[in-house]
């Protein structure tokens, strides 16, 4: 059977620093990812991610709920942007807001998120940034990791696409652990996106089959 190879058009949604965004852009530019980041959207006007996008001449958008009078108008702004840039895949990379059910349904199985732990452990609302790594250390875990998963209507509950373990060492601080996990994130997110580009992903209920 012939595989459908496609240069996927990716929208990245980010609220902060943007190191995963940078890793995705670099993977695309170096040919490791058959795709292109076509728009970067943030709920924060001063997000580092928007600056990174500008450095690469990628269109940026600042969309936050306060700019719109209704939830529907807010959703429409996202959907219009995705249509305008002919987006195939939406990658949440440190995006701190929940997308509405309407958007999740419109892009079913086409929205990904990255989480800096092995879900379902250490995930859910309020579990972000150093809090995740602090919780892993407090629990005394010997391993943690990275999860790239499909986004559903809740926080961090969609089926995993790729997961990778990262060791926890006795001398770790939340910061040292975050740095070790982040290195893996930067490799795993482009890898997961490449599976979509290669048409190798099939979602069967909670199981993401890599063909
Ligand atoms: C990453 O640790 C990611 O797993 C989490 O938020 C962080 C974003 O970092 N969802 P960056 O903005 O990509 O540098």
């Amino acid at each position: 059977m012939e595989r459908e190879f496609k240069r996927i058009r990716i929208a990245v949604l980010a609220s902060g620093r943007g190191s995963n965004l940078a890793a995705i852009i670099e993977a695309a530019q170096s040919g490791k990812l058959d795709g292109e980041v076509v728009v970067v959207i943030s709920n924060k006007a001063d997000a580092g991610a928007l600056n990174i996008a500008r450095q690469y001449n990628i269109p940026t958008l600042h969309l936050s709920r306060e700019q719109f009078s209704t939830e529907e108008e807010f959703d429409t702004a996202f959907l219009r942007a995705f249509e305008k840039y002919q987006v195939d895949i939406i990658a949440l990379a440190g995006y701190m807001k929940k997308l509405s059910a309407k958007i999740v349904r419109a892009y079913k199985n086409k929205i990904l998120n990255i989480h800096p732990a092995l879900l379902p452990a250490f995930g859910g609302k309020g579990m972000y940034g150093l809090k995740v790594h602090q919780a892993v250390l407090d629990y005394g875990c010997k391993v943690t990791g990275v999860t790239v998963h499909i986004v559903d209507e809740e926080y961090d509950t969609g089926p995993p696409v790729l997961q990778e373990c990262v060791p926890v060492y006795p001398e770790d601080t939340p910061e040292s652990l975050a740095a070790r996990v982040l290195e893996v994130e930067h490799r795993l997110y482009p890898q997961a996106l490449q599976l979509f580009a290669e048409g190798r992903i099939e979602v069967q209920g909670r199981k993401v089959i890599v063909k």
Side-chain angles (χ1 to χ4, degrees):
M1 194 186 72
E2 283 223 353
R3 271 188 188 137
E4 183 206 340
F5 275 80
K6 189 177 172 200
R7 238 183 116 67
I8 49 169
R9 297 176 62 82
I10 306 163
V12 175
L13 273 52
S15 302
R17 173 177 66 177
S19 71
N20 277 286
L21 166 68
I24 294 167
I25 297 171
E26 276 153 31
Q29 295 203 341
S30 68
K32 283 187 197 141
L33 168 58
D34 295 315
E36 191 185 344
V37 177
V38 291
V39 62
V40 175
I41 304 176
S42 183
N43 58 314
K44 299 260 186 217
D46 59 353
L50 293 180
N51 284 331
I52 291 174
R54 287 184 199 111
Q55 282 163 25
Y56 286 94
N57 290 319
I58 295 169
T60 59
L61 263 179
H62 168 225
L63 290 181
S64 76
R65 178 65 183 85
E66 306 79 67
Q67 298 163 326
F68 301 88
S69 37
T70 65
E71 197 68 41
E72 198 167 339
E73 285 172 27
F74 184 42
D75 283 350
T76 303
F78 275 97
L79 294 170
R80 285 220 176 107
F82 297 151
E83 271 166 37
K84 176 175 176 193
Y85 293 101
Q86 295 171 35
V87 166
D88 299 307
I89 296 280
I90 298 154
L92 310 189
Y95 185 64
M96 302 299 287
K97 296 282 172 188
K98 194 154 122 181
L99 291 174
S100 75
K102 187 176 172 188
I103 294 176
V104 172
R105 284 180 205 145
Y107 284 83
K108 191 172 186 330
N109 296 338
K110 289 181 178 154
I111 310 179
L112 299 181
N113 182 41
I114 188 157
H115 186 75
L118 292 174
L119 290 173
F122 307 110
K125 194 169 172 14
M127 266 299 198
Y128 60 87
L130 289 178
K131 287 185 195 173
V132 177
H133 306 293
Q134 183 69 63
V136 167
L137 293 175
D138 290 347
Y139 198 85
C141 290
K142 306 293 187 193
V143 289
T144 182
V146 176
T147 303
V148 178
H149 67 93
I150 288 178
V151 170
D152 64 10
E153 292 171 29
E154 301 304 322
Y155 281 103
D156 297 335
T157 55
V161 177
L162 290 178
Q163 291 188 296
E164 191 170 310
C165 290
V166 173
V168 179
Y169 300 129
E171 63 277 16
D172 265 328
T173 60
E175 290 79 9
S176 67
L177 188 53
R180 194 175 312 116
V181 168
L182 196 63
E183 261 184 56
V184 175
E185 292 187 45
H186 293 165
R187 181 164 43 73
L188 212 64
Y189 216 167
Q191 210 175 307
L193 288 163
Q194 178 61 12
L195 293 174
F196 281 84
E198 292 176 7
R200 293 175 59 192
I201 295 294
E202 192 181 304
V203 185
Q204 295 177 2
R206 278 211 66 85
K207 296 213 168 47
V208 178
I209 317 282
V210 180
K211 296 185 280 184

